[in-house]
Amino acid sequence: AQSVTQPDIHITVSEGASLELRCNYSYGATPYLFWYVQSPGQGLQLLLKYFSGDTLVQGIKGFEAEFKRSQSSFNLRKPSVHWSDAAEYFCGLKAAGNKLTFGGGTRVLVKP
Amino acid sequence: DGGITQSPKYLFRKEGQNVTLSCEQNLNHDAMYWYRQDPGQGLRLIYYSQIVNDFQKGDIAEGYSVSREKKESFPLTVTSAQKNPTAFYLCASSSSTSGVQETQYFGPGTRLLVL
């Protein structure tokens, strides 16, 4: 069975600083990986996805993620955080059978 | 504009009452999903449907029921058997479930509270 772990429940970052959110997965075959963002009280918006090919994936809002098979990781990064990036971020894995499994989420707080 | 709509935004349930959450999409997607979100637990799959008049249980289907009479609609009923229904409910859709590369798109959610 597949699983996704986001080790950091909360992260606080200063505006303008860089951000990295960790995502580790467990799955025996090729994973299809996603990052979504959720603003308070809202639905989830897709930031980026990895299916195959280049392991560095560019997404919307200046985010990127790097797939590292050897580390079973798919970490999300942004070079310079804006106050509007304060939200909860979810990593997801889609496996055979099309089940989408989510991590527990990381809440990002941005300090002025 | 194409998208997924959920209504109502907030819903209150009395003890022993069944309530129905609406989900509508105009994306012409074949597959639709219902998730439950609780703080610190991410999203858990309740039910999903690949085509009209067909649906499957997800990880936490007990106390819930669904129907899929139309392609664009996938209502979720929270029955009185669901003892802890307070949560944020998210509906999603994708063009199909036949390919693992299909991306799911989410609605704005409904928050259910028990009185």
Side-chain angles (χ1 to χ4, degrees):
Chain A
Q2 65 264 29
S3 66
V4 178
T5 302
Q6 293 179 245
D8 304 305
I9 297 175
H10 293 102
I11 285 182
T12 299
V13 61
S14 297
E15 191 168 14
S18 63
L19 174 68
E20 182 168 13
L21 304 182
R22 296 184 291 165
C23 173
N24 298 106
Y25 68 89
S26 174
Y27 183 59
T30 301
Y32 298 96
L33 297 161
F34 302 79
W35 274 100
Y36 287 88
V37 60
Q38 183 181 36
S39 297
Q42 303 297 315
L44 273 67
Q45 181 182 21
L46 180 69
L47 282 175
L48 48 81
K49 56 189 177 183
Y50 171 78
F51 290 149
S52 63
D54 193 346
T55 56
L56 186 62
V57 181
Q58 301 298 320
I60 63 171
K61 303 186 178 188
F63 285 92
E64 66 179 24
E66 186 171 13
F67 172 64
K68 293 185 177 180
R69 185 184 298 274
S70 61
Q71 298 179 18
S72 298
S73 69
F74 188 55
N75 295 349
L76 181 71
R77 298 193 294 254
K78 185 168 184 177
S80 178
V81 169
H82 187 262
W83 63 266
S84 60
D85 294 322
E88 190 157 20
Y89 293 79
F90 292 94
C91 181
L93 179 153
K94 201 152 183 272
N98 298 302
K99 180 181 176 183
L100 182 55
T101 300
F102 287 95
T106 298
R107 185 170 298 278
V108 173
L109 303 175
V110 180
K111 294 190 300 184
Chain B
D1 286 341
I4 303 171
T5 57
Q6 292 186 242
S7 62
K9 187 173 178 66
Y10 296 95
L11 185 58
F12 298 92
R13 193 190 93 163
K14 296 180 181 179
E15 294 289 339
Q17 185 182 40
N18 292 352
V19 292
T20 297
L21 285 62
S22 169
C23 177
E24 304 275 335
Q25 53 97 2
N26 60 4
L27 301 168
N28 200 32
H29 283 172
D30 291 313
M32 297 186 74
Y33 311 80
W34 274 106
Y35 292 89
R36 170 179 170 141
Q37 185 178 21
D38 296 282
Q41 295 193 44
L43 282 76
R44 293 180 289 169
L45 183 64
I46 304 173
Y47 269 98
Y48 65 101
S49 168
Q50 300 179 58
I51 57 172
V52 174
N53 293 321
D54 184 60
F55 47 84
Q56 288 78 40
K57 293 181 179 180
D59 299 322
I60 55 165
E62 185 174 352
Y64 300 96
S65 66
V66 294
S67 63
R68 187 86 186 275
E69 297 177 0
K70 298 186 295 183
K71 185 176 184 177
E72 59 270 23
S73 178
F74 190 41
L76 173 74
T77 296
V78 184
T79 74
S80 57
Q82 173 51 244
K83 297 307 179 186
N84 184 24
T86 296
F88 192 51
Y89 291 87
L90 288 159
C91 178
S93 70
S94 66
S95 55
S96 78
T97 63
S98 60
V100 292
Q101 297 187 18
E102 293 298 331
T103 299
Q104 292 184 19
Y105 296 92
F106 286 80
T110 292
R111 186 165 298 281
L112 176 61
L113 300 167
V114 176
L115 296 178

